[in-house]
Amino acid sequence: MNAEIIARLQHSLEHCPQQFPRADSAVPHGNEESYLLERFRDLPSGKQQALLALLD
């Protein structure tokens, strides 16, 4: 089974594109702080508290 996994990984890496296409950012460039603050303020109170607890 290990040989099959290694063979599959080698095949995938050999056929992997050198560069992946870049996706547009979900946050507008240059407005990151205001965008995140606005999103935070739109959250329900419980989710705000949960997020703040994670950041502590």
Side-chain angles (χ1 to χ4, degrees):
M1 185 176 196
N2 284 341
E4 291 175 19
I5 294 170
I6 291 171
R8 179 62 186 143
L9 286 171
Q10 286 175 334
H11 179 273
S12 295
L13 291 173
E14 288 169 1
H15 296 90
C16 182
Q18 294 300 317
Q19 279 192 336
F20 292 99
R22 293 190 60 169
D24 290 335
S25 175
V27 178
H29 183 68
N31 298 325
E32 294 89 352
E33 187 176 346
S34 61
Y35 178 80
L36 291 172
L37 186 56
E38 182 181 321
R39 293 288 313 239
F40 177 79
R41 288 179 176 156
D42 288 341
L43 289 173
S45 178
K47 288 188 178 185
Q48 287 180 355
Q49 295 303 316
L51 182 56
L52 290 173
L54 284 173
L55 295 174
D56 273 342

